[in-house]
Every structure is written in C-alpha cells, then in structure tokens.
Amino acid sequence: MASLSALSISASALSLARSGIDIASNNVANASTAGYSRQRVVVGDLVLGGGTGSAGVGVTAIRRSASEMIERQRRTTQTSYTQAQTTNEYLSSIDGLFGAPDEGISQALNNFYSSVNDVAREPENRAYRAGFTTALSQVKDIYNQLDARFGELRQNALTERESVVKRIDQITSALAETNRGIELNIGAGHEAAPVLLDQRDSLLLELSQLTKVEVNVAETGQVNVKTPSGSSLVVGTGAVALSKSEIGAGGKLGALDDLLRSDLAEVTPTASGKLSSLASVSTVDKNEFFEVVDSNGRTLYTRNLNLALDQNDLTAAERSNIVSTNPFGKPAPTQDPNLRVNLVTPQGYQIRGLDISSDPSTGQNILTKVNAKARFDTQAIAVVPVETTLGGVTQSKGAVTTTVPAVVADPTQEPTYGKATQQFESQRLYVVRFANPSVMKAAGNGFFEATANAGVPVIIEDPATQMGVDERTKAFQDSSAWTRLRGVFEGVERDVFRAFGTTVQKLAVSDLSELEMPDAATGITDYQLIARAAANLTSGRAQVEADMVQITGEIGQRKASNEAIVKTLGSMAQQIDTERSQVSGVNLDEEALDLTRWQQAYAAASKVIAITNQMFDDLMGALR
Amino acid sequence: MSRVSFDNSFRLAVNSLGQSGARLQTSQEQLASSKRVNRSSDDPVAAPKILQLATSLVRMNEFDKNLDFAEGRLAQVSDHLSRIADLLSNLKEAAVQGANGTYSAADRASLKAQAGSVLDQIDSFVAALGEGKLGLNRTADVADGTKFPVSLTTTDLNALTTLKTDLRALIYPANPADPTSNDLSTAAGWNRLLGKVDGELALTSDTGALVMATRYGSFYQQVENVRDTRSSLRLEFERIMSNLRDADIAEVSINISRDQTVLEALQKSYSKLQGMSLFNFL
C-alpha cells in the first residue's frame, strides 16, 4: 500500500537526515583537527526489488573531500621546507658562535696581536709581557669554548638524528597498521574509511618532513613507501626499519646528514687530511722552520735553528755550525743565509707521547715528554732536529732508539746504514730512515719508537705531501667552518711556538737583571730575543686576519641564503596548505547550512510520517 | 569560487602574526645594540668589511702607540745629538780662539779646561745614547711596512764613540812631550782640534755629528707627519664602519612603530574575523 510505502520511505529519509547531521557535526567537531578532511554523505536512491520503483533514499558512502595531487605536492614541499628549516637552525647557532663581526673571536685575536705589538715595542715592560701571555690565554680559552660548542652541536645533531630515525620507524609501523585497517574495510565490502585515509595522509606528511620518500598509493588507498635509494619502508601490511647506513636525501634527516658531513663533520685529519695540511703549511716560506706536526694538525714542537736570531747577529763561524737541509735529503749549503731547516709536513701520521700541553703562559718547555711513536704508511724519514751549538755551548743531549731497523744518519753526509740506536752528544739534525718499512707495515706494527731526552723530538716527513700555497687555499675553502676555525687557531699557536720557542719562558721572568744580561757567546740580551720573537710573530697575522674575514663572510652568506630559501619554501608550503584547505577544510558556515538543511529534511520527513499515520488512524477508525 | 576553511584562516593569522612579531623583534634588537649588523647573517656583504675595518682600526691604534713611543725616544735621541752638535760648536769657538797665535799659555790652559768640560758633557750624552736595556738598532712599526728607528744604530754609536775618543786624544794627548802629538798649549794643537771639530760639523759628512743630529731630527718630524696622515685616515675608516655597522636609530624607531601598528591591526582583524560565523545566528 502506498501509505505503508510512504512510511518506510519517510523512515529512510529520517535515517538519512540523522546521518547527515552526524557527518556535519563530525565536521564541525574536527574543524581545527590537523590533517582532517571534510566528510560528506553520498546519497543514493533505494530501489525496490526488481527495479520496479523507489524505496526511499539511503547513504551510499561517506567520503572525504581530498585531492591526492595536492597531498603529493604537500609532501614534496614539506620535505624541502623542513630540510631548509633544520639547516637554518644549526646555521643560526654557528652564526651566533661568531657573534658580531667586530666582536667575539675577532676581537680576541685583535687584542692578542695588539699585545704582541706591545711586547715587540717594549719587551722591558713587564705589564706588556704579562698582557701578552694573558691575551694568548684568552685566545686559547675562546678557541676551546668554540671547539667545545661545535662539539656540542655535533652531538645534538647526532642525538636528533637518532630520534628522527626512531620516529621514522614508528611512523612506518603505523602506516603498516593503517594499511591493515584499509584491507579489513575492503574485505568487508566497504571503501576505505575516511578516518583511516586521513590518518594515512598525516603519517605520510610527517614522514616526508623527516625524510624524502617515494609513495605509491594503490586504488584501495593502501600505500607502499620507499626511500629514494630504493629501500622499502612500508610494503603492504609490513614495515621495514630504516637502515642505519641510509643517508637522508631530504627532510630533517637529510639536513642532519648534510650538516654532519660538512659544518659539523668531526675533525679527523686522518680521514680528510685537510686539517693536517692546513695547520702544517707555514704562512711564511714553508722552508723556514721545522716542526713536529701530528695527524691532528697540531704543531707539537717547533724549532728555528737560529734560535730566533737574525742572521746579522751571527758570525760566519757560528753560521757554519748550523746545519740545514731540505726535506728531500739533499743538504743545503751551510752558508744558507736563511739558517733554518726546511719545513716538514707529515700528513696522516700520528705522533703520540709528546707533551703538548705546555704553553707560553706557564713558561714550560714545549717538549718535556720524550717518547714518540709514529705510524708510517710509506717509507718515511724521521728527522731528529737538534739545536746548534753556538760558542761551544751544547744545548742538550739525547738518544734516539728505534724499535725497528732504521738508519740514523747525518743529512749532511752520505747515509750509511748503521745501528738502530744512535747516541747524540749534542743536538744536531739527523735523519732516521727505515730499512724496510714494507715489512714493518705488513707485520701490522707500523710503529717505531723513538726515545729521546728533552729537546730531541722526532718529526716525520713525507716528501710527497708538501702542499703549496694554492693547494692550501683550496683545501681551506673546501673545509667546513669548524675545520677552518681550528686551522686558524692552531696556526696562531704554531706561530707563537715558532716565533718564541724556548724564549717563551723568558716572558714570565720577574728578575729583570736576567733579561738584561747579554749572552756570553752572542752578546744578545733576552730582551732582544723577546722583541724579535714578537716581531716575527706578526708575520702570520695577515693570513689569520684574511682567514677570519673569509670564514665570517661565508658563514653569514650561507645563513642568509638559507634563510631566503626557508622563506621561499615557507610561502610555497603555505600556499599548498591553503589549496588543501580549500578542498578538504571545514567551513563552519557551510556546515551550519548543512545542519539546517538536514534539520528541515528531518522535519519534513517527520511530517510525512505524521500525516501517513493520521491517514492510517482514519482508515482504522472508518473500519471500526 | 574558493573556500575559506576555519583552520586555514587560523593558520594564516598565526603565520602573519609570527612574521610581524619576528620583524618587531629584529628592530628591537637593533635598537638595543645600536647596531644594524649583530651577526654575520644580518648583512653578509657588510660583515667581512666591518671585520676588515675593525682590524685596520686596531692596527692603527697599535701604530699610534708605536708612534708615541717613537716620538718619545726620537725626541730624546735627537735632543742629545743636538746638544752634542751644540757642544761641538762651543768646542769649535774655543778651538778658534786657541788657534789664535796671540794667545798666551795661560789663556790656552784656560781654554783647554773649557774644552775638557765640553768633552765631559759630550761623553755623558754619548753614554746616555748608548744606554738602555735593548740598546741599539731598535725600530718601531708606525705603518704597514714602515719602521722608524727609535735608538741609535750601532754604526752611529760607533761613530760617536770614535769621535769622543779622538777628541779625548786631541785634548788630553797620551804623551804631551811628543812633538807629533796634539798639544793644546800650542796653536798647532788647537788647529788640529779645530780641523777635527770642523769635520764633525760639516754637512758633507755622513757620519758627522751635525748630520746625524739632523737625520734623527728629521725622523722625529716624519713621525709627526705620519700621525697627521693617520688621524684623517682613521676618521674616514670610522665613518665607513659606522655606515656599515651602526643602526640608524631614527629608521629603527620608525620600523618599530610600523611593526607595532601592523601587529595590532592583525590582532584586531583576527579577533573580529573569528567572531563571524553563521552559528551565531542559529
């Protein structure tokens, strides 16, 4: 009967209106939920069996308003944006370490060189000498603080990376669960639930912020996720943990990995070799001094054979006592006017056992420990430097003992292979050559031990690794800010040791008569030595200043460039979010209208039911 | 037709408020520090220039200290040398008189005593010039690549030492009885002394005391010239540095005022917008 049909049809309308109100209220409730996509009711006619008529109206599906294309764009943009943002945070920290261009590190270095100027001008002024050691201490303190801060930043980045990897694994597991939920929906004959799809999109977005991924969305709504290198992260209902060796190609992981390989890369000269080269190449003629340089690029000991004296101060007889040689084994003329041993630049070698903790402020000898171990990768020449004997004064005595067969020879003579232990009565320059370094290397014992008394250090020479000025410039530019900063400060330290040598002890002398006493052999006072050492120290100043200008400019440039990138990508991300919200966002006014629409539909259907009911009652009344 | 969702208007407002707040904070930082460039990234082009200028100014200060030192030392050195030159002039006067054939032995004896007194003074000045903990050949850097001597050189001191030795030999000969020795009791002796002194005062003599005094006096004058040049250069550097580094307080104040106005406008408009909804009328 028609009235009975009207009842069931109206009942279906009531049911539909209730569903519509539910959906609208759900939209209103989730208006500010991140990642929520507005849902809508898909309405369809209910058809009588056999298709003979309409049985009312029903909910065909509840779908969300979303665009897969927009979601994909959003993920891509967020990957780049988050990467730039993360890089910006760390660059801001690094930029902040340097402070204003004319303050912080630069100011400390300027103060230091000003104190050097004071000592060079008036070494008799005790206040200036004390000021110099104080300024040097301050420079070292600031450097140590900076170095520590860089270390902290690196550690922060490493810790953050661990957290990011953990979160990635959590997200991929959650995505696998979402895929399972969608599978169940499909298995039950329904479409994927909008809430699951929203959850899936939110997880994918967060994953894209953490690292760059490739997403394959199936028709069912399930996703498979891979890294750009092809490693699977999500395959159907299974999740795969991110490999530890995977290097991030974008997102936060990409930013952290880039930083850890560049600005926050650990300074390991054996890996890069650059710091060793940077620190060990002299800012003056590389043939001027010899020095002990370890694989960290630290100058452990330096000796200028003419003891910071000017060549004009020595007699011809004294000069002939001084031995100089070039690193390739050919002795230079003893009348070499430079009177210095050529620089040796060990690269990749490690010298341990030398006390490098002494510094000018304490007045200790640069070298107090005596055991040196070194590892050799190639046939190397160990040069044992000695001091000249001037006026018959022997500086110190020492011995070099090698644990593997070696040769200790006077470089001014033709080498003769002799015993492995050589006793030195006075310090002169000797060369230690290893008889069979390949055997030593194969045995895994790439060490030789040189035991020497104080003042007889051992330095290792690799003639193949001399670095020219142009190469140094390039190596400097290719290095991170941290590496370059270390190079600058260690260059200052090297210059101090080179200029002062053991004269540095004189700075702390309080008995002025000691300093005024001219040396019996040379007639030169310690004041003169100090003044000259300070004057020599300024030879490296121009390079230090140029390096600081370069580092400062580049740090600022990179930070500013990155900030511009962040702003641009931020605008793009905002634009895409706006587009998404236009499609998927909840407009409260629309929902309010929907509510009123469903309310009116409900009221109308109720009226129909009431009328039909009245008709039925009237009919029953008539039959009674 | 584009839709404006509830969440989108909120996010846009948050972003706008955040950006406006960040601009305000930057302006306030500039006002607090009076600097436009508080870190390298604030102006990556100006930052290295500021550093270079700051370093140059520091070096100028160092050179100024060295100039002061050089000035003081050179004043002393040139003063002593001038006094030596004056004393040599006095000695010359005495020598001219002593060489006068009409003078008696007593007159010459008196002149000799006078010459001896002059010699003693010359001795003391030469000794003073050779003293000092660092002694001789000291220089001071007063500009890039420019050193000024601030003490006598070994050569100059040796010349003065030789001078006083020679004068002593002429005034107090070892063997007055030797007819070939200088004897200031005779006109010939005074003539020899006069010749020696004339030689020292001759402008053609590079090692002469007068030329030496003039040379060190000119160093002193050059110190003054370097100082004058440097002071104008310093002003220029400071001006350039100020232009690059310092904030224009007026401009920063205007920026702060503008940013505050924008921030308030954003806040008010957002609060009004949030109140607008159809639900208010249902």
Side-chain angles (χ1 to χ4, degrees):
Chain A
M1 288 178 68
S3 60
L4 289 175
S5 296
L7 278 176
S8 63
I9 288 169
S10 297
S12 71
L14 286 178
S15 179
L16 174 64
R18 274 202 304 275
S19 296
I21 288 170
D22 284 346
I23 297 301
S25 60
N26 190 45
N27 284 341
V28 168
N30 285 287
S32 57
T33 302
Y36 179 78
S37 299
R38 178 174 69 99
Q39 292 176 9
R40 54 192 169 83
V41 174
V42 178
V43 179
D45 278 353
L46 293 177
V47 180
L48 284 173
T52 54
S54 178
V57 69
V59 176
T60 304
I62 297 175
R63 294 216 178 110
R64 58 179 202 145
S65 297
S67 164
E68 180 54 35
M69 184 194 76
I70 290 177
E71 290 300 323
R72 197 175 309 121
Q73 284 178 344
R74 208 167 162 225
R75 288 195 289 269
T76 306
T77 309
Q78 282 293 330
T79 300
S80 305
Y81 180 50
T82 313
Q83 182 174 14
Q85 261 188 326
T86 306
T87 303
N88 205 44
E89 283 166 23
Y90 281 88
L91 286 181
S92 289
S93 296
I94 294 171
D95 188 29
L97 287 180
F98 286 81
D102 54 342
E103 293 173 3
I105 308 170
S106 309
Q107 193 173 37
L109 285 170
N110 279 335
N111 288 345
F112 167 68
Y113 280 112
S114 289
S115 70
V116 169
N117 177 67
D118 289 338
V119 170
R121 187 185 63 246
E122 293 171 75
E124 66 272 26
N125 187 319
R126 197 183 309 173
Y128 287 154
R129 281 184 279 125
F132 167 75
T133 54
T134 302
L136 182 62
S137 287
Q138 284 173 349
V139 166
K140 288 174 69 146
D141 284 344
I142 287 183
Y143 165 61
N144 288 335
Q145 285 167 20
L146 280 172
D147 202 34
R149 186 70 187 114
F150 267 104
E152 282 171 19
L153 284 173
R154 174 176 168 81
Q155 201 48 53
N156 282 351
L158 285 169
T159 306
E160 194 174 352
R161 191 188 190 280
E162 272 180 37
S163 305
V164 165
V165 168
K166 271 190 197 148
R167 183 63 192 143
I168 288 173
D169 290 340
Q170 287 169 353
I171 290 172
T172 51
S173 296
L175 274 170
E177 282 300 312
T178 307
N179 279 346
R180 188 170 297 120
I182 294 172
E183 194 176 79
L184 289 173
N185 279 171
I186 303 298
H190 302 303
E191 291 180 354
V195 65
L196 285 177
L197 296 177
D198 281 349
Q199 185 180 330
R200 176 201 71 184
D201 288 342
S202 294
L203 290 170
L204 284 173
L205 183 69
E206 190 184 348
L207 185 61
S208 298
Q209 288 172 336
L210 296 178
T211 186
K212 186 172 181 178
V213 289
E214 290 170 4
V215 179
N216 183 23
V217 182
E219 277 187 24
T220 55
Q222 290 173 307
V223 290
N224 290 328
V225 181
K226 278 198 273 196
T227 65
S229 63
S231 306
S232 290
L233 293 177
V234 178
V235 182
T237 57
V240 180
L242 185 69
S243 163
K244 281 192 170 61
S245 61
E246 184 80 31
I247 299 202
K252 194 169 267 200
L253 189 66
L256 291 170
D257 281 339
D258 281 346
L259 286 163
L260 288 167
R261 285 198 307 263
S262 60
D263 286 299
L264 299 181
E266 192 158 34
V267 182
T268 50
T270 49
S272 70
K274 286 180 184 165
L275 184 60
S276 167
S277 304
L278 288 175
S280 64
V281 173
S282 170
T283 56
V284 294
D285 180 0
K286 66 180 180 187
N287 292 325
E288 281 196 306
F289 301 93
F290 69 78
E291 58 189 18
V292 180
V293 180
D294 72 357
S295 59
N296 290 318
R298 292 185 62 83
T299 302
L300 309 177
Y301 183 78
T302 179
R303 175 60 70 199
N304 175 351
L305 271 187
N306 65 6
L307 301 175
L309 299 176
D310 188 88
Q311 57 177 333
N312 293 323
D313 295 319
L314 297 175
T315 64
E318 286 163 344
R319 284 159 57 177
S320 69
N321 282 335
I322 296 170
V323 177
S324 65
T325 187
N326 67 53
F328 300 97
K330 294 181 185 167
T334 54
Q335 282 77 31
D336 181 355
N338 288 328
L339 305 175
R340 296 177 177 113
V341 175
N342 289 337
L343 190 71
V344 291
T345 58
Q347 181 167 348
Y349 298 121
Q350 197 164 22
I351 300 178
R352 294 190 289 264
L354 298 179
D355 180 5
I356 59 172
S357 62
S358 56
D359 59 62
S361 61
T362 62
Q364 288 180 343
N365 258 334
I366 302 301
L367 182 69
T368 57
K369 275 195 187 178
V370 298
N371 292 329
K373 287 185 183 179
R375 181 185 295 126
F376 300 95
D377 293 324
T378 64
Q379 181 178 10
I381 303 170
V383 184
V384 180
V386 297
E387 292 181 346
T388 183
T389 55
L390 293 179
V393 177
T394 302
Q395 300 302 312
S396 68
K397 300 182 182 182
V400 173
T401 306
T402 60
T403 55
V404 293
V407 170
V408 179
D410 181 342
T412 62
Q413 310 295 329
E414 281 299 313
T416 55
Y417 288 85
K419 50 190 174 182
T421 302
Q422 179 74 38
Q423 187 74 30
F424 299 99
E425 290 302 322
S426 62
Q427 289 184 315
R428 294 186 62 238
L429 193 66
Y430 285 85
V431 172
V432 177
R433 292 198 176 87
F434 295 94
N436 196 346
S438 59
V439 169
M440 177 179 66
K441 190 178 173 184
N445 178 14
F447 289 89
F448 95 92
E449 189 161 317
T451 307
N453 292 341
V456 187
V458 176
I459 53 176
I460 313 302
E461 167 192 310
D462 179 359
T465 60
Q466 298 281 336
M467 183 180 264
V469 172
D470 289 341
E471 289 170 301
R472 179 198 182 279
T473 302
K474 185 166 185 322
F476 186 81
Q477 287 171 345
D478 288 347
S479 303
S480 70
W482 192 7
T483 300
R484 283 187 280 172
L485 201 60
R486 290 192 76 178
V488 167
F489 277 80
E490 290 176 4
V492 170
E493 196 173 37
R494 178 195 66 236
D495 287 346
V496 169
F497 290 166
R498 175 176 296 141
F500 277 86
T502 53
T503 311
V504 74
Q505 303 167 53
K506 316 284 184 193
L507 290 169
V509 168
S510 56
D511 182 356
L512 301 184
S513 60
E514 272 187 52
L515 299 175
E516 292 170 9
M517 190 72 64
D519 181 77
T522 62
I524 295 170
T525 67
D526 285 338
Y527 276 131
Q528 286 175 299
L529 285 181
I530 292 171
R532 198 155 303 161
N536 286 341
L537 186 54
T538 59
S539 63
R541 182 178 186 175
Q543 187 65 56
V544 168
E545 288 170 357
D547 289 347
M548 283 306 301
V549 165
Q550 190 175 1
I551 296 173
T552 303
E554 288 189 13
I555 288 287
Q557 187 64 48
R558 286 188 53 220
K559 166 72 170 42
S561 299
N562 200 70
E563 240 173 42
I565 292 171
V566 168
K567 277 193 186 136
T568 305
L569 289 172
S571 300
M572 283 172 60
Q574 200 170 326
Q575 178 59 33
I576 291 174
D577 281 345
T578 301
E579 285 176 21
R580 182 193 178 272
S581 72
Q582 285 175 357
V583 172
S584 307
V586 174
N587 184 310
L588 290 178
D589 294 338
E590 280 179 9
E591 300 309 317
L593 286 171
D594 267 352
L595 279 172
T596 54
R597 178 164 64 98
W598 293 120
Q599 182 196 25
Q600 286 171 357
Y602 189 88
S606 301
K607 210 62 173 171
V608 168
I609 290 174
I611 291 170
T612 308
N613 195 41
Q614 185 63 45
M615 285 170 60
F616 190 72
D617 285 343
D618 288 345
L619 179 64
M620 289 296 108
L623 290 176
R624 246 187 260 118
Chain B
M1 185 183 70
S2 61
R3 297 176 62 248
V4 178
S5 70
F6 169 79
D7 181 54
N8 193 49
S9 62
F10 169 75
R11 254 186 305 103
L12 282 173
V14 164
N15 284 340
S16 303
L17 286 167
Q19 284 168 13
S20 185
R23 279 195 298 272
L24 188 59
Q25 190 181 16
T26 302
S27 300
Q28 285 175 332
E29 190 185 1
Q30 288 178 347
L31 193 65
S33 66
S34 304
K35 285 185 184 175
R36 191 180 62 89
V37 181
N38 287 300
R39 54 192 73 78
S40 303
S41 56
D42 289 344
D43 190 340
V45 174
K49 286 184 188 158
I50 291 170
L51 178 52
Q52 282 173 326
L53 286 168
T55 303
S56 296
L57 285 169
V58 164
R59 295 189 89 159
M60 279 188 187
N61 288 340
E62 292 165 20
F63 288 143
D64 280 348
K65 279 197 210 174
N66 294 349
L67 267 179
D68 290 340
F69 179 74
E71 197 177 27
R73 291 293 299 250
L74 282 172
Q76 196 177 24
V77 168
S78 61
D79 173 70
H80 284 7
L81 288 172
S82 297
R83 300 279 276 273
I84 290 174
D86 289 342
L87 287 167
L88 285 173
S89 296
N90 294 344
L91 195 57
K92 180 176 176 177
E93 285 175 15
V96 166
Q97 291 175 35
N100 188 329
T102 62
Y103 268 50
S104 68
D107 292 335
R108 289 204 176 93
S110 170
L111 282 174
K112 181 177 174 178
Q114 196 179 331
S117 168
V118 166
L119 177 63
D120 288 341
Q121 291 178 65
I122 290 175
D123 264 353
S124 67
F125 281 125
V126 172
L129 284 168
E131 274 178 3
K133 298 176 181 65
L134 297 193
L136 308 170
N137 306 312
R138 285 184 76 173
T139 59
D141 286 330
V142 296
D144 281 323
T146 304
K147 287 182 191 291
F148 271 132
V150 295
S151 66
L152 283 191
T153 62
T154 312
T155 308
D156 287 342
L157 183 65
N158 288 344
L160 290 174
T161 306
T162 304
L163 167 65
K164 69 172 188 175
T165 305
D166 290 348
L167 287 176
R168 187 162 291 281
L170 288 171
I171 295 170
Y172 301 111
N175 185 7
D178 181 352
T180 62
S181 73
N182 205 50
D183 181 3
L184 291 185
S185 62
T186 66
W190 283 103
N191 265 320
R192 276 197 281 274
L193 180 61
L194 179 63
K196 177 67 182 174
V197 174
D198 268 345
E200 284 301 318
L201 293 174
L203 291 174
T204 54
S205 167
D206 285 340
T207 55
L210 183 61
V211 167
M212 201 186 296
T214 308
R215 185 161 20 101
Y216 281 90
S218 75
F219 288 147
Y220 179 76
Q221 193 54 51
Q222 285 173 53
V223 163
E224 293 298 311
N225 293 342
V226 168
R227 189 191 296 281
D228 290 340
T229 308
R230 168 125 357 96
S231 65
S232 51
L233 192 61
R234 176 198 299 281
L235 281 173
E236 184 60 18
F237 276 23
E238 283 172 352
R239 184 189 69 79
I240 296 171
M241 183 141 147
S242 179
N243 282 346
L244 289 172
R245 179 193 62 185
D246 297 337
D248 182 336
I249 301 299
E251 184 185 341
V252 170
S253 302
I254 290 170
N255 287 346
I256 288 177
S257 177
R258 178 201 63 200
D259 293 336
Q260 275 177 333
T261 306
V262 167
L263 190 60
E264 281 172 20
L266 280 170
Q267 287 165 343
K268 279 185 185 159
S269 66
Y270 177 71
S271 63
K272 277 197 184 314
L273 195 64
Q274 287 306 103
M276 292 167 59
S277 171
L278 188 56
F279 277 99
N280 295 341
F281 301 98
L282 292 179

